[in-house]
Amino acid sequence: MKQDIILAGVGGQGILSIAYVIDNAALADGLTFKQAEVHGMAQRGGAVQSHLRLADGTIWSDLIPKGQADLILSVEPLEALRYMDYLRPDGTVVTSSTPFKNIPDYPDVAQVLEAVRKAPRSVVVDAEKLAKEAGTVKAQNIVLLGAAAPVLILKEASLRATIDQLFRGRGLPILEANLKAFDLGRKAALGQ
């Protein structure tokens, strides 16, 4: 059993929090993982991406070859497109429909989403709207993690337990908002 995941977004969108939850859920499920990150100008809205590999055996390389990613999980639609050449022919793209316009010539959002939907399997959710519904716009990354949960090889209980571990120390309202964000994202993905 193995799964190769590209995590993508821009600085401040919580890519590393998604990685933390997946990594620790993998350990809880008895899997191993390797992760490689590129932060770029993350503090200034620059690109952030991570190669995240899960397996029930030895993982020999941190990096995912082009054409081999099972999943692209992106918090920003244009960043999802940036890594499409890594996707397997039967891979899945999970992304937010909400752009983060950090460049002056950001392309037309409708065209970006149309290109994302050309992937073999795509899940596009309005993460901003669902995060607000959950109680905090900062939980957009957890909405997308929830949207990806049905295609991850991890147990949902392990993902939820790690979200609990990550956010419990920040207070009960923050924890509850993130768990609700996860549930709303999952529900939105299953409804597509």
Side-chain angles (χ1 to χ4, degrees):
M1 177 188 333
K2 74 170 196 67
Q3 190 167 50
D4 291 334
I5 305 164
I6 301 282
L7 302 177
V10 300
Q13 290 191 304
I15 298 298
L16 299 182
S17 294
I18 294 173
Y20 175 88
V21 174
I22 291 174
D23 292 349
N24 284 281
L27 292 175
D29 288 352
L31 301 176
T32 58
F33 73 88
K34 280 198 180 236
Q35 181 181 340
E37 302 163 0
V38 175
H39 297 257
M41 296 290 285
Q43 295 299 317
R44 297 185 180 184
V48 176
Q49 60 98 351
S50 179
H51 287 222
L52 182 52
R53 309 187 87 181
L54 311 174
D56 59 359
T58 302
I59 303 169
W60 298 103
S61 172
D62 296 355
L63 300 179
I64 301 167
K66 288 186 176 177
Q68 295 299 309
D70 299 290
L71 171 65
I72 295 173
L73 172 51
S74 180
V75 187
E76 205 286 321
L78 188 58
E79 290 299 320
L81 283 185
R82 184 192 301 260
Y83 301 101
M84 292 295 268
D85 55 343
Y86 282 88
L87 194 64
R88 298 174 61 94
D90 60 345
T92 302
V93 177
V94 175
T95 188
S96 174
S97 61
T98 308
F100 185 92
K101 295 184 176 181
N102 56 347
I103 53 175
D105 55 347
Y106 194 100
D108 179 73
V109 177
Q111 291 178 344
V112 170
L113 294 176
E114 182 181 327
V116 166
R117 288 187 172 104
K118 288 180 181 174
R121 295 173 36 198
S122 64
V123 176
V124 178
V125 298
D126 188 339
E128 183 177 32
K129 176 183 165 224
L130 295 175
K132 286 178 181 174
E133 186 179 332
T136 174
V137 73
K138 292 181 179 177
Q140 292 179 54
N141 60 336
I142 302 300
V143 167
L144 291 160
L145 178 61
V151 297
L152 290 172
I153 60 173
L154 303 169
K155 295 176 185 164
E156 184 182 328
S158 301
L159 293 166
R160 292 179 63 83
T162 308
I163 292 169
D164 187 302
Q165 175 189 359
L166 180 61
F167 292 105
R168 182 164 292 278
R170 300 180 195 179
L172 195 55
I174 298 295
L175 171 61
E176 289 175 347
N178 278 279
L179 289 172
K180 185 174 181 182
F182 179 86
D183 292 338
L184 289 172
R186 186 175 187 282
K187 183 178 175 184
L190 292 174
Q192 290 188 12

